[in-house]
Amino acid sequence: MNVQWTAGGEHLASLLRTLPATAEDAHAIDQTGLWLWRRPMDALSFLHWLPVAGAGKKGFRQLSVRGLPGPEILARGMERVVGHKPQQVLVVRGWLPGKYLDDFFAEDFPSLPATHRQAIVRDFGHFVRDMFERGAQPTRLTLTRFWVDAGQDPVGFRLAGIDGFRWHNKPLTDRQRFVCLQHLLGTLPVHVSRSQRFRFFRAVCGDQGRLREFRNLLVDLEAAALCSARRYWRRKARLSLGNNAWFAVLRHENWRIWRRRCDEALRLQQSMLAEPAATFRAGLAMAGRGSGCSAARIEVGGHQYFVKRYRLPGLRYQVKYLFLRSKALAAWLAGWQCAARSLPTAQPLMVMEKRTFRILKESYLVSEFCSDGRPLMTVWPELKPHERRRIIIRSAQLLARVHRSRCLHGDTNWNNILVRPNGALLLVDLDCFRQRRSFDYTRAYRDLEHFIRDLRRKRNDGVGYLDLLISTWRNWLDAGSRVSCEEHARIVRANPGRRVDDCI
């Protein structure tokens, strides 16, 4: 690696030589918390780097001057590779143990006690407010800009990156704070309930006044945040349809393949590409309901995967999908839409479709196999009353998170909800997954009715948990999505055979 160092870094040259030139944007180089950051340079950034060795130097200096906790820079320089753009190179010291805040909210936050969750949300609001008061304005404030150390008491927060910051000599204006909070609330994981969002917003505003005084402002802020987040989620999910650093698209004879850019997906591609049908038949067939599709569990390289095969029944469907995405590709995109929204689902790894003169013949979707997950329909009879209440609450929260992010699962029956030993839930079978432009209470409630139908089955004996399900589901919806009296009356008139009155 040919790096022209401007400060420090000579003692790290041996470590950096072990990294390929295509290393990730932020790449760990050892087990002591050292990280290598690379940034491709354009003409504008090159002009900034000539006199001061990069915006990284300025950003780290601003952090130290303003007293904001951030990464410690050890070395900086500029990497020149023949045939490639020059890249900014920074070596910083991270914090171990710790993780990015979005990973913490998705993995650790839901299992914490309620009082601990409230304290974390409040402390995070104080940290964001302190950043605003010190004049730090990120161009796009997301959770990946923060690093959290959950081992501390209280939890410690730090800035994980300094790219795209604007530095002011005075506190940010209300307009600047509104724009920053709009981006942050748009990417804030949906694990945070409505009351916790109120507490976060009050902490950002300085803990002045009662929660209800911020209600109208927070409703407007969340409406703008969801509008911005929807574009962000859509753009992030559509990366799965192209060639980039995370995904690969290739053709082989009549097959077209979309896969993750990783060794695991590459092994799957090499194993299935020769004879996909034979590989599918060699797997263990799995029971399931669906027209024109079948599922199996296969084993490749000592790991198990879930494969779904989609067949076209006749000429009508072949004509229909001449210029449309196949069901397998639609389910692939739906899986990454869920991932962009931090919704728990089995991660798709590869999709294959075969077309002859644009006529779709067959398609396959390969995803992770959750060996420790069992359908809720199977687990429910084994649960005790207090365990059933916990599952109902978590199911209502999960479905509300789906609906709050302007999506519909389409088939929320109990066979499509997997329960893991730790009580975590997982959504599967995304064939009917849809993304909506705006919140529609009627469609959201109809999506929930698939779950209610299985809850009301006589063998499940779950009618007593119906009120708990509906109240929790409504509480976790957006503050601005509560159904009005007129909307409620319209739903009752449109559904005379349903007990909507008892569910709202």
Side-chain angles (χ1 to χ4, degrees):
M1 179 182 299
N2 181 20
V3 180
Q4 298 178 359
W5 297 106
T6 58
E10 291 79 4
H11 60 288
L12 299 172
S14 59
L15 284 174
L16 296 179
R17 290 194 188 97
T18 63
L19 288 178
T22 58
E24 296 179 359
D25 186 41
H27 190 84
I29 59 178
D30 66 359
Q31 299 299 321
T32 62
L34 297 182
W35 287 76
L36 170 72
W37 292 78
R38 279 193 173 102
R39 289 290 188 275
M41 297 180 60
D42 53 19
L44 183 61
S45 64
F46 182 74
L47 294 178
H48 287 288
W49 261 72
L50 282 178
V52 295
K57 177 182 177 181
K58 179 180 178 181
F60 285 109
R61 186 174 66 247
Q62 290 289 346
L63 288 181
S64 61
V65 169
R66 300 169 190 270
L68 292 173
E72 176 189 358
I73 182 171
L74 300 179
R76 59 183 180 271
M78 185 164 51
E79 178 184 3
R80 297 181 182 274
V81 181
V82 178
H84 297 273
K85 288 184 178 181
Q87 296 189 97
Q88 306 171 8
V89 180
L90 293 176
V91 179
V92 301
R93 188 183 303 279
W95 308 276
L96 296 175
K99 58 178 62 177
Y100 285 106
L101 189 56
D102 57 342
D103 295 333
F104 172 77
F105 272 116
E107 299 170 3
D108 304 334
F109 186 79
S111 59
L112 297 176
T115 55
H116 197 184
R117 293 200 300 267
Q118 294 175 5
I120 290 176
V121 171
R122 184 179 61 252
D123 293 343
F124 180 52
H126 290 155
F127 182 83
V128 173
R129 179 175 182 269
D130 184 59
M131 183 179 66
F132 291 161
E133 291 294 331
R134 296 175 188 267
Q137 181 192 3
T139 53
R140 186 173 184 88
L141 186 60
T142 61
L143 293 178
T144 54
R145 290 190 177 274
F146 300 95
W147 187 270
V148 58
D149 184 4
Q152 297 183 9
D153 190 17
V155 171
F157 298 95
R158 290 177 179 266
L159 288 174
I162 45 87
D163 290 342
F165 268 83
R166 297 175 182 173
W167 308 99
H168 303 273
N169 295 326
K170 58 182 180 180
L172 302 187
T173 63
D174 292 341
R175 176 60 183 171
Q176 291 170 339
R177 299 187 188 208
F178 185 90
V179 174
C180 291
L181 289 176
Q182 169 185 333
H183 294 309
L184 181 61
L185 290 179
T187 57
L188 191 67
V190 284
H191 301 282
V192 179
S193 66
R194 185 183 53 171
S195 60
Q196 291 167 352
R197 296 199 304 276
F198 272 121
R199 288 182 171 87
F200 167 79
F201 188 68
R202 186 172 66 171
V204 173
C205 293
D207 290 329
Q208 299 175 359
R210 303 177 63 182
L211 289 177
R212 65 179 60 182
E213 298 176 9
F214 300 105
R215 179 184 178 88
N216 294 333
L217 180 59
L218 184 55
V219 168
D220 296 337
L221 184 61
E222 286 190 340
L226 282 173
C227 182
S228 174
R230 185 178 176 275
R231 294 192 297 268
Y232 171 76
W233 291 332
R234 177 183 175 86
R235 184 169 61 252
K236 188 175 180 180
R238 286 183 66 86
L239 290 175
S240 62
L241 300 178
N243 271 305
N244 46 64
W246 299 274
F247 301 95
V249 183
L250 61 149
R251 292 181 180 272
H252 178 77
E253 297 179 353
N254 293 336
W255 290 95
R256 192 172 184 184
I257 303 169
W258 293 261
R259 65 170 177 85
R260 284 196 60 202
R261 198 178 288 275
C262 62
D263 296 337
E264 187 177 17
L266 181 60
R267 287 194 299 268
L268 280 170
Q269 172 192 326
Q270 295 171 350
S271 175
M272 292 190 61
L273 192 55
E275 289 290 340
T279 305
F280 180 82
R281 289 194 297 267
L284 178 63
M286 301 186 66
R289 294 175 295 177
S291 58
C293 64
S294 53
R297 184 181 65 192
I298 65 173
E299 184 173 347
V300 176
H303 298 278
Q304 294 181 341
Y305 302 96
F306 179 82
V307 182
K308 200 166 186 180
R309 180 183 181 183
Y310 298 83
R311 302 181 306 275
L312 296 179
L315 181 62
R316 174 186 174 186
Y317 288 88
Q318 291 178 344
V319 174
K320 176 182 178 181
Y321 288 102
L322 276 175
F323 302 99
L324 295 179
R325 294 193 185 107
S326 63
K327 291 184 178 180
L329 188 58
W332 161 269
L333 182 60
W336 290 110
Q337 285 176 343
C338 289
R341 292 165 170 79
S342 300
L343 298 174
T345 184
Q347 187 180 81
L349 296 173
M350 184 179 67
V351 62
M352 305 171 60
E353 68 175 27
K354 182 179 181 180
R355 290 180 182 266
T356 304
F357 300 107
R358 297 196 63 89
I359 298 177
L360 183 63
K361 298 297 183 180
E362 56 182 336
S363 54
Y364 297 86
L365 174 66
V366 186
S367 58
E368 295 178 339
F369 179 76
C370 303
S371 57
D372 59 345
R374 300 172 58 195
L376 179 57
M377 186 70 75
T378 306
V379 175
W380 183 263
E382 306 172 2
L383 300 178
K384 298 178 181 179
H386 70 278
E387 295 175 336
R388 291 187 174 185
R389 287 182 58 86
R390 187 183 304 117
I391 289 294
I392 289 296
I393 292 175
R394 290 182 177 178
S395 301
Q397 292 173 351
L398 176 58
L399 296 178
R401 288 164 49 193
V402 175
H403 300 152
R404 194 169 72 187
S405 60
R406 307 307 188 245
C407 293
L408 300 173
H409 183 276
D411 190 6
T412 58
N413 67 75
W414 286 13
N415 289 320
N416 293 334
I417 300 178
L418 302 185
V419 183
R420 288 184 164 175
N422 60 356
L425 302 181
L426 202 68
L427 290 174
V428 296
D429 194 2
L430 302 178
D431 292 348
C432 300
F433 187 90
R434 294 293 182 271
Q435 180 182 357
R436 306 292 301 177
R437 288 184 176 273
S438 60
F439 180 83
D440 189 333
Y441 184 88
T442 305
R443 292 181 181 272
Y445 179 76
R446 288 178 180 175
D447 192 32
L448 182 68
E449 280 190 335
H450 292 273
F451 188 94
I452 296 176
R453 180 185 57 199
D454 287 341
L455 186 66
R456 285 175 170 170
R457 292 183 185 273
K458 186 175 181 180
R459 61 178 180 177
N460 292 331
D461 191 23
V463 177
Y465 301 97
L466 185 59
D467 292 339
L468 176 64
L469 173 73
I470 299 299
S471 61
T472 306
W473 176 72
R474 291 193 64 199
N475 187 48
W476 274 68
L477 285 177
D478 284 336
S481 300
R482 301 298 295 271
V483 62
S484 63
C485 296
E486 295 79 6
E487 178 75 5
H488 167 68
R490 187 179 64 81
I491 295 173
V492 173
R493 291 194 299 269
N495 303 275
R498 299 177 180 174
R499 296 179 57 192
V500 183
D501 267 335
D502 299 335
C503 300
I504 298 181

